[in-house]
DNA sequence: CCATGCAGTTAACAACTGTTCTCTGTAATT
DNA sequence: AATTACAGAGAACAGTTGTTAACTGCATGG
């Protein structure tokens, strides 16, 4: 069912993506609410008016960026949480996967962390919705685990939210470590991983004794 | 040692505070990186150039706002964490205190949540430093608790950070509940409190079984 | 009581912003 | 082959921005 786009539509998507990429770059040093439409088009090398062919406003572009940054992440979440092995192994693998993701898409991570509580309402809402979806997916995976026997849906969901928030905080800390001076980078990254691992371990302990 | 300010200095501090208040108000609907100096002075009813008598830039004003929003919070933290009673009582009281604080200073809470990962580096750093101080204070209080016997300093600190982050997330959720439509407000607030309580309880459980 | 310091004002600057309208070239459709 | 649709260019708009300079009035310290 994948219809090959005509030259026309292909070129359009290309500039659209260029706008998204340029915006993401500019957002390393500012927030979305101060991102100007002209600023973005200038970075791409296109006329300011061309912007309107793709987005109604920078807020609209922000929502598209949320889609790009989080939309493609769902399969990864599912496979990560449902990975086999004892809980210690699972924690190590999860932390490692977060670190790898931050390494691969630092601008995406920064954008989500920055705009989650940022000044643009539609973007905040889009992020909140995506994270709620993540929490639901994590909940479903948690439910499959024998440890979750006897848990109510509500309790599973509150634990899922705890995990999701914790993963976001960890990702943001990894990012800060990356932004620091090169020589401290490795040590800071290791430190973040070590702390995050123990926090996850502690939460896991609480999980095991929840029904006592 | 409190020297009564002259008429001159008193008036200066008055306008300075007016600038801070106006900025905090304007920041409800945008981020600091898009806050204009003229915008602030206009809201106060003062000439744009007067701004420079108090702050070098809006980033500088942001740092001052961090001080105002978090600086006065330290005594509260100490007394809260060190409050007596069993852990269930302590959790209830902590959540209630957070809710009360968000109710009393919503703009401050919003500002911290928004700019913690925001686009202005000096402000991010100021918030990070203050939160690190909080974590240290929480650590000190945790250390006094008999439950912490045998814990390493590192483990106490990682738990303290977990608590601080959790408190911030909870505060932000309370704020979102406040911002919603009036009729849902009470129920949403109750729901946030309920989830946060159980998350704290689960972390507390993990804490008790940490040395197993 | 007079001289100084300084919070706040006024005016002007070049540079920037979002948005509208009109136009052009060319891929897509008929 | 002729027509249409539409991504992008270009120019112009009124309004905004941060920053500088020179000023005014008044509380303060000698």
């Amino acid at each position: 069912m994948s219809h090959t786009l005509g030259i026309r539509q292909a070129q359009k998507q290309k500039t659209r993506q260029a706008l998204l990429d340029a915006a993401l770059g500019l957002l390393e040093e500012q927030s979305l609410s101060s991102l100007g439409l002209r600023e973005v088009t200038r970075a791409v090398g296109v006329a300011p008016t061309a912007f309107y062919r793709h987005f109604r406003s920078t807020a609209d572009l922000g929502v598209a960026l949320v889609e790009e940054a989080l939309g493609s992440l769902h399969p990864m979440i599912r496979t990560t949480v449902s990975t086999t092995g004892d809980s210690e192994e699972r924690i190590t693998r999860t932390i490692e996967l977060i670190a790898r993701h931050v390494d691969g898409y630092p601008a995406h991570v920064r954008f989500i962390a920055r705009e989650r509580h940022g000044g643009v309402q539609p973007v905040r809402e889009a992020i909140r919705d995506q994270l709620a979806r993540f929490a639901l997916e994590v909940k479903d995976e948690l439910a499959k685990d024998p440890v979750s026997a006897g848990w109510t849906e509500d309790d599973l969901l509150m634990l899922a939210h705890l995990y999701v928030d914790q993963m976001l905080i960890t990702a943001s800390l990894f990012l800060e470590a990356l932004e620091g001076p090169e020589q401290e980078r490795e040590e800071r990254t290791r430190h973040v991983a070590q702390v995050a691992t123990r926090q996850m371990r502690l939460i896991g302990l609480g999980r095991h004794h929840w029904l006592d």
Side-chain angles (χ1 to χ4, degrees), chain A residues 147-197:
Chain A
V147 181
S148 306
W151 283 54
T152 67
E153 283 287 297
D154 259 24
D155 282 347
L156 282 172
L157 196 56
M158 80 91 188
L159 178 60
H161 270 110
L162 186 57
Y163 274 134
V164 169
D165 285 333
Q166 182 61 23
M167 286 169 75
L168 232 76
I169 290 170
T170 302
S172 167
L173 287 171
F174 272 128
L175 187 64
E176 280 184 45
L178 277 188
E179 285 166 342
E182 181 143 13
Q183 66 237 36
E184 300 178 13
R185 199 178 299 181
E186 196 187 352
E187 190 196 332
R188 293 224 290 160
T189 301
R190 221 185 10 242
H191 179 251
V192 169
Q194 196 221 32
V195 172
T197 302

Side-chain angles (χ1 to χ4, degrees), chain A residues 78-202:
Chain A
R78 295 197 89 88
T79 59
T80 305
V81 181
S82 69
T83 190
T84 54
D86 71 351
S87 57
E88 191 61 28
E89 246 180 73
R90 253 202 294 233
I91 290 173
T92 313
R93 218 176 304 181
T94 303
I95 302 286
E96 206 171 293
L97 189 121
I98 295 173
R100 203 179 304 279
H101 184 77
V102 175
D103 233 28
Y105 308 91
H108 281 167
V109 174
R110 181 182 299 111
F111 172 74
I112 296 299
R114 187 156 294 174
E115 300 303 331
R116 182 186 186 186
H117 305 283
V120 184
Q121 207 205 20
V123 173
R124 278 199 312 260
E125 281 175 3
I127 295 177
R128 181 160 44 73
D129 290 354
Q130 287 285 347
L131 294 183
R133 279 186 57 197
F134 280 132
L136 280 177
E137 290 173 8
V138 170
K139 187 207 75 175
D140 285 348
E141 294 301 328
L142 288 175
K144 293 178 187 168
D145 194 309
V147 181
S148 306
W151 283 54
T152 67
E153 283 287 297
D154 259 24
D155 282 347
L156 282 172
L157 196 56
M158 80 91 188
L159 178 60
H161 270 110
L162 186 57
Y163 274 134
V164 169
D165 285 333
Q166 182 61 23
M167 286 169 75
L168 232 76
I169 290 170
T170 302
S172 167
L173 287 171
F174 272 128
L175 187 64
E176 280 184 45
L178 277 188
E179 285 166 342
E182 181 143 13
Q183 66 237 36
E184 300 178 13
R185 199 178 299 181
E186 196 187 352
E187 190 196 332
R188 293 224 290 160
T189 301
R190 221 185 10 242
H191 179 251
V192 169
Q194 196 221 32
V195 172
T197 302
R198 283 182 293 167
Q199 287 173 337
M200 293 280 269
R201 200 179 293 154
L202 189 140

Side-chain angles (χ1 to χ4, degrees), chain A residues 14-92:
Chain A
K14 209 171 172 180
T15 33
R16 189 189 129 102
Q17 191 59 45
L19 289 170
L20 289 170
D21 292 347
L24 209 51
L26 291 166
L27 285 174
E28 287 186 18
E29 306 172 324
Q30 60 183 313
S31 307
L32 184 65
S33 77
S34 64
L35 183 70
L37 145 180
R38 293 184 101 108
E39 203 179 346
V40 179
T41 56
R42 193 187 315 132
V44 174
V46 86
T49 48
F51 186 91
Y52 293 106
R53 299 285 179 196
H54 303 275
F55 308 102
R56 250 185 279 275
S57 61
T58 52
D60 195 22
L61 177 145
V63 173
L65 276 178
V66 174
E67 215 65 27
E68 177 172 306
L70 292 182
S72 64
L73 223 61
H74 293 271
M76 190 165 104
I77 290 279
R78 295 197 89 88
T79 59
T80 305
V81 181
S82 69
T83 190
T84 54
D86 71 351
S87 57
E88 191 61 28
E89 246 180 73
R90 253 202 294 233
I91 290 173
T92 313

